[in-house]
Amino acid sequence: MSSWRESLTSIPGTVAQLINDSASSLLHTSSSLGSTVGPLGSTGSGSEGDSEEGGPQVEYRALPIPASLVREQWRLIFTSDANIQDLQAAIAHCRDLVLLSDELSDERRWLVRHLVDLRYSLQELEEAQEQQSLAPDMVVMNAIRAVVGHHFVPHHPHHGKRSRLQAAARRHYCDHCTAIIWSVVQASYVCSDCGFLVHQKCIDGVKRVCAHVQVSERQHPVAEICPEVGLAAQGYKCAECETLLNLKNTWVEPRLCDYSGLYYCPRCNWNDSNFIPARIIHNWDFSPRRVSRAALQEIRLFMNKPLIRLEEDNPKLFVFVEKLCAVKKLRQNLVHMRHYLAACRIASELKLVDQQLGCRRHLAQSNEFYSLKDLTQVESGALAEFLQSVFKAFDEHIRCCPMCLAQAYICEICSNNEVIFPFDDGCIKCEQCNSIYHRVCLTRKNMICPKCIRIQERRLQLDRMRSTEDDEVATDDEVAVAE
């Protein structure tokens, strides 16, 4: 019995020793792999001091190269010690290959991405050399790193005394290893395009393609509601880092992303919650769902882009959602107002449209396109309030400006001297001749535009005159032939 108890008490120590041995062997393997040269010519992650000191350098790791371009690899991929001449030669050769490649092919897509990264790296290298020439004694840090579409720049979470206290209270986590970034003792980088935050030591291991690249290629959010394919279709692997999601060795929880319909491991899916664009378009559902880190960054990049044709994708929403109808009416009025303001010299000098709309000019250009931010503000009511304030400012200018008043209309049915505009509530616009009438007056005329009647009668009169002239010419010809 005593030997049985001793064997039970020795189990925790044996398990702990086994875990420590496996962790040490794993760290030894990763360090040996990190010190070697990668297959694309990029150097591994050495010591932090060696990577930061020295002259201006641009570290770069390209996206996976297609098999058809492997022969051109030595002319396209460069190492961290490349100079300006090497980058210029690589840019010229990459541009020639883009022109020779087929449209919409994987090769052209890779070459365009690579060409952008090459030009970006060349620009940063030239700026670094210029800074070093202006201040030779200053050590130029390796400020820019291009990795799988990301453009990493040094991350400084606090500047100043006030924000330093706030940054100390807020924790930042690495998007690659999910560990805490201690900004006081650890260097970190952030992607200037998608906000991917990472340790300096984790940059070379980043596998996730920049969300900005995905957005530029996809051009629209995922239109299907959770297009799940299943773990079997993914090979029981994480959709991003390809970690095994099975019970063979250890249990790794598969987490479903409601945006992409793919399964991820806990390192790539932190159970972040966000609304799903497809559920808003089809069901007007703003309830938060769990998404992966890549999907969250992609949705944030789509947030301010007016790409959704809501009335074309789901026209029934305007029947059941009253807020959408009110916003649509306000946007139609702003479209009419924009024509007046575009022709007004005073409004152009005051920059009235820019002051009121700013970067949301699409709200007054047409009433078709919506952004995700617009739809969320429609649900909260903020967009209707914003459009009401813009409408009030535009209406005040148009009714007080002499140049805009010169383009006003007078209802010819009631012969009233009151000036009317197409954006007035009690007015209606003829779709054929663009004339403006009081709605009540046009209703009394059975919705028949008097101007359209005059135009039609004039056309009939002209046709009669032309037919009469043709008959006279034909008669003269017959008389001449008879003579």
Side-chain angles (χ1 to χ4, degrees):
M1 181 65 70
S2 61
S3 61
W4 176 253
R5 290 179 179 176
E6 291 176 357
S7 61
L8 289 175
T9 56
S10 63
I11 289 177
T14 306
V15 172
Q17 184 178 1
L18 178 62
I19 294 174
N20 293 331
D21 294 340
S22 60
S24 61
S25 62
L26 180 62
L27 289 174
H28 178 71
T29 305
S30 62
S31 62
S32 61
L33 290 175
S35 61
T36 59
V37 179
L40 297 179
S42 59
T43 57
S45 60
S47 61
E48 295 184 1
D50 296 339
S51 62
E52 294 184 357
E53 295 179 359
Q57 295 180 352
V58 177
E59 291 209 9
Y60 174 84
R61 187 161 65 85
L63 296 164
I65 188 170
S68 58
L69 296 175
V70 173
R71 295 182 179 180
E72 306 293 338
Q73 175 178 336
W74 65 278
R75 298 182 63 181
L76 296 175
I77 308 298
F78 57 90
T79 58
S80 59
D81 57 348
N83 53 25
I84 293 180
Q85 289 76 16
D86 296 337
L87 292 179
Q88 290 176 348
I91 289 174
H93 185 60
C94 187
R95 186 170 56 247
D96 296 338
L97 291 177
V98 169
L99 298 176
L100 295 175
S101 60
D102 298 332
E103 294 184 1
L104 303 177
S105 61
D106 294 338
E107 290 78 8
R108 172 164 288 193
R109 182 179 302 175
W110 185 91
L111 288 168
V112 170
R113 284 186 187 175
H114 189 67
L115 181 61
V116 172
D117 289 335
L118 286 174
R119 288 176 174 172
Y120 195 94
S121 302
L122 177 62
Q123 179 182 355
E124 298 300 331
L125 185 58
E126 291 176 348
E127 292 178 357
Q129 288 191 354
E130 183 179 356
Q131 292 178 3
Q132 192 177 22
S133 62
L134 295 176
D137 298 334
M138 182 181 65
V139 177
V140 180
M141 307 298 288
N142 190 3
I144 299 296
R145 291 187 174 185
V147 179
V148 288
H150 296 280
H151 296 126
F152 288 112
V153 296
H155 179 235
H156 304 290
H158 50 267
H159 290 287
K161 295 182 180 179
R162 292 184 180 179
S163 59
R164 188 173 298 175
L165 297 176
Q166 297 176 358
R170 181 183 178 185
R171 290 185 177 182
H172 297 275
Y173 294 89
C174 177
D175 278 310
H176 177 68
C177 67
T178 69
I180 299 176
I181 298 177
W182 304 101
S183 58
V184 179
V185 295
Q186 290 180 321
S188 60
Y189 282 75
V190 62
C191 178
S192 59
D193 297 329
C194 67
F196 189 96
L197 187 61
V198 66
H199 288 109
Q200 182 183 11
K201 61 182 180 180
C202 298
I203 285 184
D204 293 329
V206 173
K207 295 182 179 180
R208 185 191 307 167
V209 179
C210 181
H212 187 270
V213 177
Q214 301 287 355
V215 168
S216 61
E217 290 183 354
R218 184 171 292 163
Q219 297 182 356
H220 290 87
V222 176
E224 300 179 10
I225 297 178
C226 191
E228 184 179 357
V229 296
L231 276 173
Q234 295 181 207
Y236 296 94
K237 295 181 180 179
C238 174
E240 184 175 317
C241 64
E242 298 185 353
T243 301
L244 289 176
L245 305 174
N246 54 25
L247 291 170
K248 186 175 182 180
N249 297 322
T250 57
W251 167 247
V252 179
E253 177 191 2
R255 295 180 177 178
L256 176 64
C257 174
D258 197 83
Y259 175 73
S260 62
L262 301 176
Y263 285 90
Y264 296 84
C265 66
R267 291 180 59 181
C268 303
N269 189 337
W270 297 2
N271 281 335
D272 296 306
S273 296
N274 201 80
F275 59 82
I276 308 300
R279 294 185 181 274
I280 296 176
I281 295 173
H282 296 290
N283 299 333
W284 199 246
D285 182 10
F286 290 87
S287 58
R289 310 280 176 149
R290 291 183 176 179
V291 295
S292 63
R293 296 294 295 174
L296 182 64
Q297 293 172 355
E298 186 173 328
I299 293 174
R300 288 175 178 174
L301 290 176
F302 275 122
M303 196 70 181
N304 296 318
K305 296 180 180 293
L307 301 171
I308 302 173
R309 290 189 172 184
L310 192 61
E311 196 166 5
E312 180 179 334
D313 296 337
N314 192 359
K316 293 184 179 180
L317 280 179
F318 292 88
V319 179
F320 296 100
V321 182
E322 296 181 358
K323 298 178 182 179
L324 273 176
C325 296
V327 168
K328 180 182 177 181
K329 178 61 177 176
L330 285 171
R331 291 188 65 179
Q332 287 177 347
N333 292 336
L334 291 180
V335 170
H336 294 311
M337 289 179 166
R338 185 179 62 86
H339 295 302
Y340 286 88
L341 299 177
C344 179
R345 176 177 53 83
I346 300 176
S348 300
E349 293 176 356
L350 295 175
K351 296 183 179 180
L352 185 61
V353 178
D354 293 336
Q355 289 179 1
Q356 296 297 325
L357 293 176
C359 60
R360 307 178 73 177
R361 297 175 64 95
H362 66 277
L363 294 174
Q365 290 178 350
S366 68
N367 59 347
E368 297 180 1
F369 293 95
Y370 291 84
S371 65
L372 292 175
K373 182 179 179 181
D374 297 336
L375 298 180
T376 55
Q377 289 188 353
V378 168
E379 177 64 15
S380 63
L383 184 60
E385 295 178 0
F386 173 73
L387 294 179
Q388 283 285 1
S389 63
V390 175
F391 176 84
K392 184 178 180 180
F394 287 176
D395 184 71
E396 182 179 354
H397 169 81
I398 292 174
R399 296 187 185 278
C400 298
C401 176
M403 298 185 66
C404 296
L405 281 175
Q407 304 180 46
Y409 292 84
I410 294 177
C411 180
E412 63 174 279
I413 298 177
C414 62
S415 300
N416 195 342
N417 293 329
E418 177 190 5
V419 293
I420 56 177
F421 294 93
F423 49 83
D424 290 337
D425 291 334
C427 298
I428 189 171
K429 179 181 179 181
C430 178
E431 298 295 336
Q432 296 182 359
C433 64
N434 296 326
S435 298
I436 309 299
Y437 304 96
H438 291 115
R439 186 181 298 273
V440 177
C441 298
L442 194 61
T443 304
R444 273 194 265 112
K445 290 287 185 178
N446 296 326
M447 304 302 291
I448 299 175
C449 176
K451 185 177 179 180
C452 293
I453 294 176
R454 291 198 305 270
I455 293 175
Q456 187 177 4
E457 290 178 353
R458 194 176 304 160
R459 288 176 180 174
L460 292 175
Q461 186 178 1
L462 290 175
D463 292 339
R464 291 170 186 169
M465 292 176 61
R466 290 174 183 172
S467 62
T468 304
E469 291 177 358
D470 293 340
D471 293 341
E472 292 178 356
V473 171
T475 304
D476 295 339
D477 293 339
E478 291 177 357
V479 172
V481 170
E483 292 178 353

